[in-house]
Amino acid sequence: MNERQRRSDTGTAKAVARGVNIQSVRNRTLAQGYMEYRRVPSGVITRVLDQPLLRRPPSTDQLVSEAITPSSPPLTPVQRED
């Protein structure tokens, strides 16, 4: 990876990696909201969410994050036929 592509701000890099993860299991709106909350620059948010081929490859450190899995649908009461 050349020097231009290397991100020195590891906090932002981790927030972006997590935002991409959120997008993959939830949706773009939640991913964007998370990254905005983490103060990722708007241009970076747009690029990583709308143009996945332009994303920087994640470093090993960025890949280590807590897992995000889709929520289970809420349980509904079983309707009984009496």
Side-chain angles (χ1 to χ4, degrees), residues 40-51:
V40 174
S42 61
V44 173
I45 294 171
T46 300
R47 178 175 54 82
V48 299
L49 296 181
D50 295 342
Q51 300 173 337

Side-chain angles (χ1 to χ4, degrees), residues 15-43:
V16 167
R18 188 137 202 239
V20 169
N21 191 10
I22 291 169
Q23 182 185 31
S24 71
V25 297
R26 300 293 174 105
N27 60 54
R28 186 192 192 288
T29 302
L30 288 175
Q32 180 176 343
Y34 171 77
M35 287 194 272
E36 288 171 349
Y37 171 75
R38 299 294 302 189
R39 297 191 171 140
V40 174
S42 61

